[in-house]
Each structure stands twice: as C-alpha cells, then as structure tokens.
Amino acid sequence: MARKTKQQALETKRQIIDVAIRLFSQQGVSATSLADIAKAAGVTRGAIYWHFRNKSDLFNEIWQSSGVSISDVELEYQAKYPDDPLRVMREILIYILQATVVEERRRLMMEILFHKCEFVGEMTAARDAQLKLCMEGYDRIGNAIQRCTEAGMLPADLHIHRAAVLMRSYVCGLMENWLFAPHLFDLKEESSVYVDIFIEMLQRCPSVRQADSSAEKIG
C-alpha cells in the first residue's frame, strides 16, 4: 500500500510538471499561477505545495530533470564512439538541435527559457539556479573540448574557455532564432551542417587559439 502511495505521488508530481511546462509555454511563466497549474492538472493547490515550495522551485525542477537526459545522451555516444571524442561532441550537438524540433517537451522548455520567462519577482530565486546550471554546462562543454584536444582532433593550443563560450552561444542562438521564426530555416535538416561549420571553425580559426589574446590584438 505504501509503495502504491509513493508511486501515485510520483505520478502526480510528473503530471504537475507536464502541465506546468505546457502552461508556461502558452501563457508565459509570470502570467501562470500555481492555481492555474493545479486546475489544469486536476489536483489541489495543496498537492502542488506538497511537491514544490513555490513556482520558482517548480521551474527549477523542470530544468534539473532536463539535464539528466543530456547526461544520458552523452553516455550513450561515449559508449558508441569510445575512441572518438570529437564524434561524440558532434553527435550530442546535433541531437540537441534536432531534439528542439522533434521532441515537444524539449521544444516547449526552450521556448519558455528564451521567450516566456523573466527572472524577476518570485522568479528571482530561479535565476541563481539557472546560473548554476549554466556554469555546469560550461564545465561539461569545456571537458568535452579538452578531450578532443588531448586526442589530437582539435588544436592543442585551442583556448578551451573561449571555445566553450562560443559553442554555447552558437547552439543557443540557433535554437532561439528557430523558435522565434521557424520558417526561416530548417533546423532539423540542417543541424549537422551547422555543427560541422562550428567544428571547422574550432579546427581552423586562429582567433580561438591560446596565443591570440585581446592584448595582442590591440597592440
């Protein structure tokens, strides 16, 4: 009986999260109340407060769960291409772009982050959590790039941090632009082309090397 109750609680939590994602995407985070989510999910507000302290806590839970899926994808490609870290990185980037198009949940989440959320008021606390996830993302990207340089697949003198900033900005920019105006380009079909362009830039662009600093440019 206790096991069944625990399972029911997990199902209720999952239902609340699914409904919250849909409403946040439709109405925006600031315009969606916990009462709206409770009504749409067919649960009481008490049920929501049982699982989440407030809307900011619910928002953070949504994004923490998305990070796990990317980790699983990374492990899958590492197992598939154990001696090719550049291929692993390429496939992950392509997956992220294509998933934004074909996976409804991820598309809605990206739409919320880029176009339907303001980190003000009660959502101020969520900004700190998002910053933490962002920094963890940079660490993950930097580690992936480092493995490629150590394997001789990217230049040994590549500026890792600079490359990580460029990669995140490049991928997020593609997703944000496509979500805003999907008719402008086919993100799903052209994802591999865009990823290959970026990888070629890392391989050949001298401005992404350690030896090239801002001071040297100014001088």
Side-chain angles (χ1 to χ4, degrees), residues 83-155:
D83 302 316
D84 194 342
L86 186 61
R87 179 67 182 273
V88 171
M89 188 172 73
R90 177 181 185 272
E91 295 300 328
I92 292 173
L93 294 177
I94 292 173
Y95 165 81
I96 290 173
L97 294 177
Q98 292 186 343
T100 303
V101 181
V102 303
E103 295 181 10
E104 182 183 24
R105 183 185 179 93
R106 181 166 183 81
R107 182 173 69 254
L108 294 178
M109 290 172 62
M110 292 300 103
E111 188 173 52
I112 292 166
L113 183 63
F114 291 133
H115 302 299
K116 301 293 180 68
C117 181
E118 293 181 332
F119 293 109
V120 296
E122 64 180 318
M123 290 300 294
T124 301
R127 181 185 180 279
D128 293 335
Q130 282 295 301
L131 180 59
K132 181 175 183 293
L133 290 174
C134 179
M135 298 309 297
E136 290 173 355
Y138 275 121
D139 288 341
R140 178 180 295 172
I141 294 170
N143 290 336
I145 295 173
Q146 183 70 48
R147 287 192 290 270
C148 293
T149 61
E150 291 172 352
M153 296 176 176
L154 287 177

Side-chain angles (χ1 to χ4, degrees), residues 18-76:
D18 289 343
V19 170
I21 291 173
R22 176 167 55 82
L23 291 184
F24 286 161
S25 176
Q26 292 173 351
Q27 304 172 180
V29 176
S30 61
T32 303
S33 67
L34 291 182
D36 294 331
I37 296 170
K39 182 178 179 180
V43 302
T44 64
R45 288 186 65 181
I48 290 185
Y49 284 115
W50 175 262
H51 295 287
F52 309 102
R53 294 189 300 274
N54 47 44
K55 185 162 64 175
S56 178
D57 188 38
L58 171 56
F59 183 88
N60 290 334
E61 180 77 17
I62 290 171
W63 289 96
Q64 287 173 357
S65 64
S66 71
V68 174
S69 63
I70 295 298
S71 297
D72 292 340
V73 170
E74 184 176 19
L75 290 174
E76 177 184 341

Side-chain angles (χ1 to χ4, degrees), residues 189-207:
E189 293 301 319
E190 298 182 8
S191 60
S192 60
V193 176
Y194 289 124
V195 170
D196 288 340
I197 290 171
F198 181 79
I199 291 175
E200 288 173 9
M201 182 190 71
L202 294 184
Q203 292 173 327
R204 303 177 185 179
C205 181
S207 296

Side-chain angles (χ1 to χ4, degrees), residues 172-186:
C172 287
L174 285 171
M175 292 190 293
E176 182 177 6
N177 279 273
W178 180 82
L179 287 166
F180 187 73
H183 62 281
L184 290 180
F185 60 102
D186 191 331

